[in-house]
Amino acid sequence: MTTTMRTVPLVGGPVELRGALDLETTAAGVMPRRLPAWTKEQYQDPSVYGVTVMPSGVRLVFRTDARPLE
């Protein structure tokens, strides 16, 4: 049996990111954010940025008939 891998875009495609208030595009891909990007100016402590990009609670929602996912 031959397995064909297909790349699916996370933005503008059939995948929905739920729980993220903003998405930051980087050279490595898409980074979900727990706070909107415009709030970055309001951080008093630089370590708050690290917490805002931890994707706790962010979920991928999609339908597939595939058996393996990678």
Side-chain angles (χ1 to χ4, degrees), residues 3-54:
T3 302
T4 303
M5 299 299 292
R6 185 171 63 127
T7 301
V8 178
L10 293 178
V11 177
V15 177
E16 183 181 340
L17 284 162
R18 290 189 186 164
L21 294 179
D22 204 354
L23 297 175
E24 186 174 326
T25 303
T26 69
V30 178
M31 182 170 34
R33 295 176 47 90
R34 294 167 67 180
L35 291 175
W38 63 266
T39 63
K40 198 186 273 189
E41 302 294 324
Q42 300 174 8
Y43 305 160
Q44 297 294 319
D45 183 350
S47 65
V48 173
Y49 175 78
V51 175
T52 66
V53 295
M54 290 180 187

